[in-house]
Amino acid sequence: MPLHTVQVYAGTGAGVGAHVRSLAAGLAARGLRVTVCAPPGAERCFRFTAAGAHVAPLPVHQRARAVALLRHIAEGADLVHAHGMWAALVAVLALRGRSRVPLVVTWHRRGHPEGVQASVARLLERRVARTARVVLGATPDLVRRARRRGARDARLAPVALPGPAPAAGAAGATGSGDGAAPAEESGRAKLRADLGAVARPLVLAVGRLTPDQGHHTLLTAAGAWRELDPQPLVAVVGEGPERAALHRRITDEGLPVVLLGRRDDTTALLAAADVAVLGARWTGRSLLAQEALRSGVPLVATPAGSLPELVGDAALLVPYGDAPALAGAVGALLGEPELHARLVRAGRERAARRPTEDETVAHVLSVYDEVAGAVRDG
């Protein structure tokens, strides 16, 4: 009988969903039975079924029902792999009393709760860390965090950027697009025209609209870029509770910024951009950063989480919340072609050294074999 794994995804980020989809496809291709428990809308975004997985809708807004559903599904499973803290907590509750079904947890990111919420978060993290057979951290600091919370086995997990890499002759993020396929260049031009960035630079930011993502800092920097000629257009992809406040600032201050909301074409938007900005207070293996490196789009980011290790010298790093530094870094990339070209080259070279999807799946499968084997032998 092939190993049956259950992947639990709570819909807490496009990067996590893409990783789960990649993992499901790789495991299914190796003969494993894969069930993905995910919010109803996740199948439309990530097509887990097409990857070879069975999909079970997970009612993320009803924890008791989610626990009961996962408990039922786990009856026939050899292993449960939860991605993210909410998914991990549901899995811990669902597997209570079922020591024969081991739990593997991947921590992709961490939040920044304050006050009472911070104390509750520490308790939940401790319970998850101590219950899981293995905690896989997407970054070294997450591995250290899991160990502080009492994890019996915490390891760094290679996480590849899913999806095919651009062709070797693909166009960069700026310039005439020499070497690009005509269809690719045409699509890029159409996207820029739709946004109103035909004769002006396009700066792209992607992330949930929450206070810790640095969007207000980006808006302040955008005010400074009005002095540039041509004036850049800033496009922000994402939704969240800060949308109304950001929209109010954009309108009141007349900022050259558009809020695009949720988009299914983020990769294409990134390829059409001149510069990508990641201003978060903390991030894990940022999907935006990895895609920017691979696509040859210069990145300006904060030295948050694992980003310095991830990007190396292939990005300009500025302090979190420092609008003048952000404005200066983006202005330098737009005004200095040699700096822009150097980061494009460095980004592609660094992306080529990242773990592949096959390597990521092989690593996870080795963990599964080890954990499932220990249960059988125990």
Side-chain angles (χ1 to χ4, degrees):
M1 288 286 292
L3 196 71
H4 179 198
T5 73
V6 177
Q7 306 290 321
V8 188
Y9 165 60
T12 52
V16 180
H19 172 65
V20 173
R21 203 269 183 195
S22 172
L23 199 56
L27 295 172
R30 287 163 172 77
L32 277 70
R33 290 175 57 208
V34 181
T35 298
V36 175
C37 292
E43 169 63 13
R44 178 179 58 82
C45 294
F46 299 108
R47 300 177 65 242
F48 298 119
T49 303
H54 172 73
V55 177
L58 191 69
V60 293
H61 300 298
Q62 299 171 287
R63 192 172 72 182
R65 284 190 59 203
V67 169
L69 172 69
L70 183 56
R71 186 172 181 83
H72 173 71
I73 292 172
E75 286 181 0
D78 296 294
L79 179 143
V80 173
H81 188 167
H83 299 265
M85 187 51 57
W86 188 93
L89 180 60
V90 169
V92 166
L93 296 174
L95 297 176
R96 187 165 46 190
R98 295 186 174 181
S99 59
R100 301 295 297 179
V101 182
L103 173 64
V104 174
V105 172
T106 296
W107 284 4
H108 294 268
R109 59 169 63 91
R110 65 181 176 90
H112 294 277
E114 299 178 351
V116 175
Q117 288 185 334
S119 298
V120 173
R122 281 194 296 271
L123 290 173
L124 296 179
E125 288 178 354
R126 186 176 297 118
R127 182 169 184 181
V128 167
R130 293 179 176 181
T131 303
R133 296 296 180 97
V134 176
V135 176
L136 300 174
T139 64
D141 61 321
L142 286 175
V143 174
R144 292 190 293 270
R145 188 183 186 91
R147 289 172 179 161
R148 288 197 303 270
R149 297 293 186 259
R152 67 184 99 175
D153 188 341
R155 313 176 190 181
L156 185 64
V159 178
L161 176 63
T174 59
S176 63
D178 293 343
E184 292 173 354
E185 186 62 23
S186 175
R188 178 178 183 273
K190 183 179 186 306
L191 269 176
R192 292 180 68 102
D194 290 343
L195 294 174
V198 174
R200 60 195 299 196
L202 177 62
V203 177
L204 184 73
V206 180
R208 183 163 165 75
L209 305 185
T210 55
D212 61 353
Q213 292 299 304
H215 291 109
H216 281 285
T217 302
L218 177 61
L219 263 55
T220 302
W225 297 330
R226 285 180 297 195
E227 304 301 319
L228 300 179
D229 184 22
Q231 182 184 106
L233 175 68
V234 180
V236 180
V237 176
E239 279 293 355
E242 284 286 288
R243 183 182 180 90
L246 294 171
H247 179 74
R248 187 161 51 250
R249 277 197 63 188
I250 292 167
T251 302
D252 293 348
E253 300 174 31
L255 299 174
V257 180
V258 291
L259 301 179
L260 301 180
R262 293 188 180 91
R263 298 281 294 236
D264 294 329
D265 59 347
T266 302
T267 300
L269 284 167
L270 182 60
D274 297 289
V275 176
V277 171
L278 181 57
R281 178 181 174 187
W282 189 93
T283 184
R285 295 277 174 183
S286 166
L287 191 64
L288 174 68
Q290 294 180 71
E291 188 63 68
L293 296 181
R294 189 171 73 179
S295 300
V297 179
L299 177 69
V300 178
T302 56
S306 66
L307 272 176
E309 178 268 334
L310 178 66
V311 302
D313 61 353
L316 299 183
L317 300 181
V318 298
Y320 170 73
D322 191 333
L326 175 60
V330 172
L333 283 170
L334 296 177
E336 301 178 27
E338 290 185 3
L339 174 62
H340 190 285
R342 179 177 68 78
L343 287 192
V344 168
R345 290 193 301 271
R348 285 183 169 147
E349 290 170 1
R350 195 164 189 87
R353 299 195 297 270
R354 296 291 307 149
T356 66
E357 288 186 84
D358 279 346
E359 290 169 343
T360 298
V361 173
H363 175 268
V364 170
L365 186 55
S366 70
V367 173
Y368 289 178
D369 287 340
E370 177 186 337
V371 170
V375 171
R376 287 194 300 267
D377 297 341

